[in-house]
Amino acid sequence: MRKKQIAGIFITGIILLSGCARSSTEPGSVQSADETRTAETDPTNESMETGENSEKTTSFEIDTSDMFSDSDRNVEYNEAESTIIQLSDEGSFCDTDTVVIDQNTVTITDEGTYLLSGSLSDGMLIVNAETTDEVHLVFNQAAISNQDSAAVYIASADKVFLTLADGTENAVSNGGVYADIDEDTIDGAIFSKADLSFNGTGKLIVTAAAGHGIVSKADLIFADGSYEISAAEHGIEGKDSVRIAEGTYEILSGKDGIHSENDEDETLGFIYLKDGIFKIQSQGDGISAGNWLLAENGTYEITTGQGGVSAEEKNSLEQHKQEEQEKSAKGIKAGAQMLLKEGTYCLDTEDDLIHSNGDVFITGGDYTLSSRDDGIHADDGAAISGGSIKISESYEGIEGLTIDITGGQIDITASDDGVNAAGGRDGSSMEKGQDPFVSMEGAYISISGGSLRINASGDGISSLDYNGKAVVTGGIFASSGASGMAQNFDPSSTQGIIMVTLNPQEAGTQIALKNSDGTELLSWKAEKEYSSVLISSPDIRQGESYSLTAGTEEKTITMDSLVYGTDIPENGKAPVGSEIPKGGRGPENGEVPTGGRAPMEREPAENGKRPGEMDNKPGMGEKTDNENKKEIQ
C-alpha cells in the first residue's frame, strides 16, 4: 500500500479532498477519474443521497458574440479623406463647415472621420451631431486640458469611435471644476452621452482632478490601446456597460477603478472583460458591476483602500464600516452573477477580494489574494471548478449560502472560518436586523474534486460546525484543531471516519495514522495547537484496527462501525467506543460511556444561565472585545 503524505494542512478543519480514485500518484496530486467522491452538508435533518443536496446551477453563460462590432475594432483611416483639425490655443484651424471653432472650443456637428493633433491648454472638444450619426475621432499627438469642464464632451451622436494613432501619446485633463453647460451634469474628463468606443495602439493619459476619468452614459467599449488614468472618483464608468477586449490600463482612482451601474434597466450595468492588462489602485472597488460581470481572461493587479495588510484588524475595520456604510473597497464585485473563466489575478484589498451579491463561478485562472475581509464571497452560491487559488490573508476564505467545489487547487489562510456556508450575506450587504450568526435555510457545502489546504483561526470548514448533518462519501479528509465545537460526520457517510479528542498538543507536532500492519496511511504536521483530530479516508474500513499518533499521545482504534467517535447527540449518549469531545454535552445521568471520557465540570449557573451565555441565545458564549470568530447556532 502506498504511503500518503499530507504536508502542511491544519486548523480546526483542514481538508484535502479530491474526486480521484486511489492511485499511485505523487502526494497531493489531483487526477480526474470516473469515480467522484463528495463531502456534503445538509442543513435539514432529512436523509440525503449523494448529489441530492441541491439543484442549484453551478455555472452561467453569457452570449458574447456581439459584444464588439467590426467598427469597434477598426483602426483604419485614410488621412487624405479625413477632416484635419489642428488644435492650438486661440488658433485652432479646420477648413470645413462641419467643425465650428469658437476660441478654444472646437465643435464637430456632422458624421465623418476627424484627425486631431496639437494642443489646447484650456479648451474643449465637443461632438454635437445628429443622433443617427457615427463620428470617428483619431487622436494623433493630441492634448486637451479644461480647467472647469470636460476636455472631450460628446453631447449628441449615435456612436463615437476614438482611435489612438499608432506610436502616439495623447492626453486629456480636467482642472477640478465642472461648470454647467446644459441640463445634464458633466463629471468626467471625457464625458459622453452616446456610445463611446476606443481602439488603436497609441496611448491616452487621462487626468481628472475632480469627477471621473472616462464616462459614457451608454455603452463604453475598449478594443485596444494603452491608458493611464488618474481620477478623483471612478477611473472608467459606463452606465449601460463596460466592455474591454484587450489593452493596457493603469488606473488610480478615488472611488472605483472600473464601474458600471444602471438603476433604470436591470438588464444593463454589466462588465465584460475579454482580455487586457489591468493595474488598478482604488479607494473604492477595483472593478464593480451593478449587474453581472464576466472575465474571459486578462491580468489583474488590484489594490483597494489600504490593502489587506492585516486581517487581524477586522474589528476596527467593522467599526469603520458601521460609521461609513457607503464605503466599499472590494477587488472585483458584481451585483448579480460573476464568472471568472481564466486570467491572472493579484488582488490586495481592504474589503472582500471577489464579491457577488448573487453567485460567483470560478472555472480557471491563477489567483494570489490578500484581504482584510473575505476572500471569495457570494450572497448566494460560490462554485469553483478549476484554477489555482491562494488566499494568503483573509477574515473568511470562501463564504456563500452554498459552496460547490469540483476542482482547482485552493490554499486558504483565514483569521476566522476557512470555508463558510452558514451565512451568505455579510456585513457589506446585510439587511437591517438580520442575525449573521444564524445558519440560513438551504446552506450547504459540496466538495467533489480539487484540493484544499486551510489554515484558519476559526472553523476550517464551517459546515462541520453544522446545523444539520455532514456526509462524507469519498476522498481524503484530515483535520486537527480545537475540540470545543468539534463535530463528526454523519453515520450515513459511506467511508471510514475516525474522530478523537486529545490532551492539548503543541503546534508543529506530527499526526500519523497507521493500519494494524504498521503501514502509515497518512500523516501531516499540525501548524496550530490542537486537541481534536478528525480523519476520513477510503483506507479506513469497518472491522479493522488502527493506531493514531498525535504529538505525545497514541491511541488504538477499533472500527466497530464505519464511524468512530462522535460529538454528543441530543439524547446525551455516545456509541460504545466513541469519545466525547472536550466541551461537549455529557449524558444526563452523569455516567461515562464505555471508551468515553468524563464530561468537564461546569461552574454553577447564575440566573438560569451558564457563565458566558447570552440572552436569548443559549449555548453561545459572549464575545470579548478582541474576539473575531463567528459562531453558528
Side-chain angles (χ1 to χ4, degrees):
M1 180 179 300
R2 184 178 178 83
K3 175 180 175 181
K4 297 186 179 70
Q5 293 282 347
I6 303 178
I9 60 176
F10 33 78
I11 62 82
T12 51
I14 24 334
I15 180 168
L16 175 61
L17 236 169
S18 81
C20 311
R22 290 181 58 218
S23 69
S24 59
T25 56
E26 288 301 312
S29 66
V30 175
Q31 290 182 317
S32 61
D34 293 336
E35 181 182 2
T36 299
R37 295 173 172 145
T38 63
E40 302 161 327
T41 67
D42 183 357
T44 71
N45 289 322
E46 300 174 359
S47 62
M48 177 179 66
E49 299 293 334
T50 300
E52 222 176 90
N53 52 322
S54 174
E55 296 180 357
K56 186 174 182 64
T57 301
T58 56
S59 66
F60 88 105
E61 293 296 331
I62 296 293
D63 182 5
T64 61
S65 60
D66 61 350
M67 286 291 170
F68 306 101
S69 67
D70 291 340
S71 297
D72 290 326
R73 299 178 181 275
N74 182 23
V75 298
E76 300 297 328
Y77 61 94
N78 187 324
E79 184 172 347
E81 297 178 358
S82 301
T83 299
I84 307 298
I85 301 176
Q86 181 64 44
L87 303 175
S88 178
D89 286 342
E90 305 297 333
S92 296
F93 175 79
C94 183
D95 62 357
T96 177
D97 58 6
T98 63
V99 176
V100 177
I101 299 175
D102 182 7
Q103 295 183 332
N104 281 355
T105 300
V106 178
T107 303
I108 296 170
T109 63
D110 200 3
E111 63 183 3
T113 299
Y114 298 84
L115 181 60
L116 296 97
S117 59
S119 64
L120 294 173
S121 61
D122 187 13
M124 178 184 287
L125 172 67
I126 299 175
V127 175
N128 192 14
E130 297 292 331
T131 57
T132 56
D133 290 347
E134 290 190 351
V135 177
H136 186 190
L137 306 175
V138 180
F139 277 21
N140 182 25
Q141 293 295 134
I144 305 172
S145 178
N146 193 315
Q147 298 304 308
D148 55 11
S149 191
V152 177
Y153 174 38
I154 300 165
S156 178
D158 176 42
K159 189 170 185 176
V160 173
F161 304 90
L162 198 160
T163 296
L164 304 174
D166 185 31
T168 66
E169 181 173 293
N170 308 275
V172 296
S173 64
N174 160 264
V177 177
Y178 292 96
D180 291 338
I181 293 179
D182 52 28
E183 68 277 6
D184 292 323
T185 300
I186 297 174
D187 58 0
I190 297 177
F191 187 91
S192 176
K193 294 182 182 179
D195 292 341
L196 177 59
S197 179
F198 290 83
N199 61 27
T201 55
K203 183 176 184 179
L204 177 63
I205 300 173
V206 179
T207 305
H212 313 301
I214 301 174
V215 179
S216 172
K217 307 307 288 185
D219 291 322
L220 183 54
I221 298 170
F222 296 84
D224 203 353
S226 176
Y227 304 85
E228 290 184 10
I229 301 172
S230 177
E233 297 188 23
H234 301 323
I236 292 173
E237 180 182 19
K239 180 177 180 180
D240 291 350
S241 70
V242 174
R243 314 175 191 192
I244 298 177
E246 54 187 305
T248 302
Y249 306 83
E250 293 189 22
I251 301 173
L252 178 65
S253 62
K255 290 188 176 179
D256 298 347
I258 300 174
H259 180 93
S260 180
E261 185 175 11
N262 189 320
D263 295 331
E264 301 164 2
D265 189 334
E266 62 181 10
T267 67
L268 300 175
F270 63 83
I271 293 178
Y272 172 56
L273 307 169
K274 182 176 177 59
D275 209 332
I277 299 172
F278 303 86
K279 184 175 182 180
I280 299 173
Q281 186 171 344
S282 64
Q283 292 304 306
D285 300 323
I287 301 174
S288 176
N291 195 351
W292 56 262
L293 184 150
L294 169 59
E296 300 266 17
N297 209 331
T299 300
Y300 305 85
E301 183 180 337
I302 299 174
T303 302
T304 69
Q306 299 178 27
V309 294
S310 175
E312 297 301 326
E313 297 177 17
K314 177 69 176 180
N315 278 339
S316 60
L317 180 62
E318 285 300 317
Q319 181 179 357
H320 176 70
K321 284 184 178 179
Q322 291 174 6
E323 297 170 352
E324 191 177 353
Q325 291 292 329
E326 296 299 319
K327 180 176 181 179
S328 177
K330 299 173 173 61
I332 302 176
K333 182 176 76 174
Q337 293 177 312
M338 180 192 301
L339 172 58
L340 307 179
K341 286 189 172 182
E342 290 291 346
T344 300
Y345 302 81
C346 183
L347 311 182
D348 186 12
T349 66
E350 184 174 309
D351 208 333
D352 295 351
L353 290 153
I354 296 170
H355 177 102
S356 174
N357 292 345
D359 300 309
V360 170
F361 305 96
I362 297 176
T363 62
D366 190 351
Y367 301 80
T368 303
L369 310 175
S370 176
S371 173
R372 294 191 190 187
D373 211 317
D374 296 340
I376 299 169
H377 175 95
D379 280 3
D380 293 331
I384 300 172
S385 59
S388 174
I389 302 171
K390 182 177 178 60
I391 303 174
S392 61
E393 193 88 42
S394 68
Y395 181 60
E396 291 194 337
I398 301 175
E399 183 178 50
L401 176 62
T402 65
I403 296 174
D404 292 271
I405 299 175
T406 59
Q409 306 287 324
I410 304 170
D411 188 326
I412 297 171
T413 299
S415 63
D416 194 52
D417 297 341
V419 179
N420 174 24
R425 287 168 173 79
D426 67 359
S428 60
S429 59
M430 187 174 295
E431 299 174 2
K432 291 183 179 179
Q434 181 178 346
D435 186 350
F437 304 128
V438 176
S439 62
M440 299 177 68
E441 182 178 357
Y444 73 82
I445 294 175
S446 175
I447 303 171
S448 59
S451 68
L452 282 81
R453 178 183 182 273
I454 301 173
N455 178 0
S457 298
D459 297 327
I461 301 177
S462 72
S463 66
L464 297 183
D465 178 18
Y466 50 81
N467 187 23
K469 68 179 182 180
V471 178
V472 60
T473 63
I476 300 172
F477 181 94
S479 71
S480 59
S483 59
M485 297 180 69
Q487 290 178 277
N488 206 339
F489 289 105
D490 193 79
S492 62
S493 298
T494 60
Q495 76 172 24
I497 299 160
I498 294 173
M499 175 176 168
V500 296
T501 302
L502 312 159
N503 292 317
Q505 300 296 315
E506 294 181 357
T509 56
Q510 194 77 10
I511 301 171
L513 181 68
K514 298 180 181 180
N515 64 13
S516 58
D517 295 331
T519 302
E520 188 174 283
L521 304 180
L522 57 85
S523 67
W524 75 96
K525 183 181 291 185
E527 297 191 21
K528 291 183 180 293
E529 294 182 0
Y530 63 99
S531 56
S532 177
V533 172
L534 176 60
I535 299 172
S536 180
S537 167
D539 290 331
I540 300 174
R541 300 183 178 90
Q542 185 172 345
E544 296 187 7
S545 296
Y546 302 87
S547 65
L548 177 72
T549 302
T552 60
E553 293 200 37
E554 183 173 351
K555 291 183 176 293
T556 300
I557 297 152
T558 299
M559 298 298 295
D560 294 328
S561 64
L562 202 59
V563 179
Y564 179 92
T566 183
D567 52 304
I568 305 306
E570 292 184 0
N571 62 10
K573 297 179 180 180
V576 174
S578 65
E579 300 195 2
I580 301 174
K582 186 176 293 184
R585 186 154 48 88
E588 294 178 1
N589 60 10
E591 296 178 357
V592 182
T594 303
R597 295 186 177 185
M600 296 179 64
E601 294 183 1
R602 298 184 183 274
E603 298 178 18
E606 297 181 6
N607 300 324
K609 294 183 291 182
R610 293 193 182 102
E613 288 185 347
M614 292 164 40
D615 292 337
N616 302 321
K617 293 187 182 294
M620 290 180 62
E622 191 170 315
K623 296 179 181 295
T624 59
D625 291 339
N626 62 352
E627 185 177 0
N628 293 331
K629 181 180 175 184
K630 281 187 180 179
E631 294 173 338
I632 309 302
Q633 294 188 89

